[in-house]
């Protein structure tokens, strides 16, 4: 899947159940949630996802604002 003008992310928190993370790519959506009550493994996965998303964003910032060799400084 690729990003574009129709791509977005949303978190749907619920008072009586686990949250849902929605990744929308126009006509395609991916929903991320747990199988039941949250576990330590679920939390670790969420933290991994956040770390990798942050790395992805920094890499894109370097591509957009950086030097041709990718050594630019993230905004």
């Amino acid at each position: 899947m690729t990003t574009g003008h129709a791509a977005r992310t949303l978190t749907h928190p619920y008072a009586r159940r686990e949250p849902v993370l929605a990744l929308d790519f126009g006509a395609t959506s991916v929903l991320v949630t747990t199988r039941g009550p949250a576990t330590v493994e679920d939390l670790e996965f969420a933290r991994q996802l956040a770390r990798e998303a942050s790395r992805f964003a920094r890499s894109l910032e370097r591509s957009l604002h950086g030097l041709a060799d990718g050594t630019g400084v993230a905004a």
Side-chain angles (χ1 to χ4, degrees):
M1 291 181 268
T2 59
T3 61
H5 71 277
R8 64 187 183 136
T9 61
L10 296 167
T11 298
H12 301 283
Y14 297 100
R16 293 191 172 93
R17 59 165 289 194
E18 306 312 315
V20 174
L21 174 64
L23 309 173
D24 292 321
F25 300 92
T28 302
S29 292
V30 176
L31 301 178
V32 180
T33 191
T34 63
R35 276 195 263 182
T39 65
V40 172
E41 290 83 10
D42 295 327
L43 182 56
E44 179 53 33
F45 174 79
R47 288 179 175 157
Q48 265 184 341
L49 181 62
R51 274 192 309 270
E52 293 306 318
S54 180
R55 288 178 183 160
F56 181 68
R58 284 193 308 271
S59 186
L60 287 176
E61 287 168 341
R62 282 191 294 275
S63 295
L64 186 62
H65 302 293
L67 303 174
D69 65 1
T71 61
V73 177

